[in-house]
């Protein structure tokens, strides 16, 4: 039975669960997919004297641990930009490194290379790869306009703005059309790009459904209901 905080998202004939936490789950493969954690973004900004509360990594890993425990996943794909920059893993506080290690311990881990972290750290274990194919699905960081059906990507940090009950609501979202899907950023400090931005147009020429992440529910809206800005 599908819970209120989940929605079915089909890609190339495979039924995934899109969760209100921002993860994609493939139950038959015991697989969880998360994108764009941007771990240590806060400390990166601090180095440039832009001070943010230094809790983004801890909060992101807390949500990841809760998600993995809930689904009992044996496999985990980090869909790129797991770390905010090439040195981010060296800035991990010991408690956060331990939290990350608990998340990956005993699981098959795949680190997809992102534009922020083209060379994922080797000391954490797992397999680093530019992309990964499982059945009819191809996981990569940046979406390609010429991709065959089955692509699942991140990178664009999709968000959608909709009008509902007399007010405007802007939330992170999944974007999908049955052929491909783009995941929202999972990181606490990651920003977002409106799904009506021109960057999405060539990816979904026939429209898409935006699955908005609510506090306790995932809401589906067609492209026509999504507002610009």
């Amino acid at each position: 039975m599908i819970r209120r905080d989940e929605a079915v998202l089909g890609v190339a004939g495979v039924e995934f669960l899109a969760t209100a936490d921002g993860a994609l789950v493939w139950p038959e493969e015991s697989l969880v997919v998360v994108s764009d954690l941007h771990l240590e973004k806060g400390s990166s900004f601090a180095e440039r004297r832009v001070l943010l509360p230094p809790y983004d990594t801890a909060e992101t890993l807390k949500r990841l641990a809760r998600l993995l425990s809930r689904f009992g996943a044996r496999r985990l794909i980090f869909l790129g930009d797991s770390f905010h920059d090439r040195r981010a893993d060296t800035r991990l506080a010991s408690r956060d490194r331990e939290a990350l290690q608990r998340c990956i311990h005993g699981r098959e881990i795949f680190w997809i290379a992102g534009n922020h972290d083209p060379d994922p750290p080797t000391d954490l274990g797992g397999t680093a790869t530019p992309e990964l194919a499982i059945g009819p699905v191809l996981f990569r960081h940046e979406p390609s306009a010429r991709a065959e059906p089955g692509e699942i990507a991140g990178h664009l940090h999709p968000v959608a703005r909709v009008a509902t009950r007399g007010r405007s609501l802007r939330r992170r979202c999944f974007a999908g059309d049955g052929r491909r899907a783009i995941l929202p950023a999972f990181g606490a400090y990651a920003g977002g790009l409106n799904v009506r931005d021109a960057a999405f147009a060539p990816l979904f020429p026939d429209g898409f459904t935006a699955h908005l992440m609510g506090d306790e529910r995932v809401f589906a809206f067609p492209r026509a209901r999504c507002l610009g800005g």
Side-chain angles (χ1 to χ4, degrees), residues 10 13 17 39 66 68 73 79 81 94 150 160 177 181 191 193 205 214 217 219-220:
L17 296 178
L39 298 176
R66 185 170 60 237
L68 293 169
L79 206 56
D81 285 2
S94 59
D177 63 356
L193 180 66
R217 190 173 176 182
F219 301 88

Side-chain angles (χ1 to χ4, degrees), residues 9-11 143-147 150-151 175-182 202-204:
L9 194 160
V11 179
S144 169
R146 295 181 298 277
E151 181 188 79
D177 63 356
R179 292 167 50 88
R180 74 185 329 154
I182 300 177
L203 305 179
F204 301 107

Side-chain angles (χ1 to χ4, degrees), residues 121-206:
T122 58
D123 63 328
L124 292 171
T127 301
T129 179
E131 56 188 32
L132 176 69
I134 301 178
V137 181
L138 179 66
F139 299 93
R140 58 161 54 114
H141 179 60
E142 296 190 36
S144 169
R146 295 181 298 277
E148 295 296 320
E151 181 188 79
I152 293 179
H155 182 61
L156 293 178
H157 300 201
V159 299
R161 188 168 70 89
V162 297
T164 178
R165 296 181 181 179
R167 63 191 183 96
S168 175
L169 181 69
R170 184 179 187 272
R171 291 294 180 95
R172 299 185 191 193
C173 71
F174 302 81
D177 63 356
R179 292 167 50 88
R180 74 185 329 154
I182 300 177
L183 270 64
F186 194 81
Y189 280 174
L193 180 66
N194 192 297
V195 289
R196 295 303 297 266
D197 186 271
F200 290 92
L203 305 179
F204 301 107
D206 299 319

Side-chain angles (χ1 to χ4, degrees), residues 14-17 24-33 68 71-77 107-110 132-137 139 152:
V14 177
E15 288 192 347
F16 292 87
L17 296 178
L24 204 60
V25 181
W26 191 349
E28 289 76 13
E29 293 288 335
S30 190
L31 173 66
V32 166
V33 187
L68 293 169
F71 288 99
R74 298 191 305 271
R75 310 166 81 186
L76 173 61
I77 296 176
R107 295 185 170 91
E108 188 176 15
I109 305 298
F110 298 95
L132 176 69
I134 301 178
V137 181
F139 299 93
I152 293 179

